Amino acid sequence: HKTNIAALSKAIAALEKGAAGFLQTSAAAKLRQLTVDMDLSAADRDILSAFLSTGASEQYAPQSGQITGILKQMLETMEKDLAELTAAEEEA
């Protein structure tokens, strides 16, 4: 979970800065994996998949708020899951 959280945090920061070339980074590769592995709504998964397959950051601009919003929700979910796992391990 910690690796995924770190990768997602990097992705959000890069996108909020409008980082060109983001889609070629390891954070984008991890994000592609997370869109498959995480429990997302079909609409969110479609939006992220479309963004990750555009290949050009210029095409991303109109959806920037929506993409970062989805990513922040994913991050919150992962952080909550990690906290719950940590608490369960401490109780055991």
Side-chain angles (χ1 to χ4, degrees), residues 45-79:
R45 190 178 317 279
D46 289 347
I47 291 166
L48 288 173
S49 295
F51 163 67
L52 291 168
S53 65
T54 59
S57 58
E58 302 85 46
Q59 296 172 352
Y60 153 74
Q63 300 177 346
S64 61
Q66 191 172 18
I67 299 293
T68 54
I70 294 168
L71 297 181
K72 287 178 180 179
Q73 287 177 337
M74 290 170 62
L75 179 61
E76 288 174 12
T77 299
M78 283 192 284
E79 289 173 336

Side-chain angles (χ1 to χ4, degrees), residues 15-34:
L15 292 174
E16 287 179 335
K17 291 178 185 174
F22 166 75
L23 295 174
Q24 287 74 40
T25 66
S26 61
K30 188 64 173 176
L31 183 54
R32 283 183 189 91
Q33 179 186 348
L34 289 173

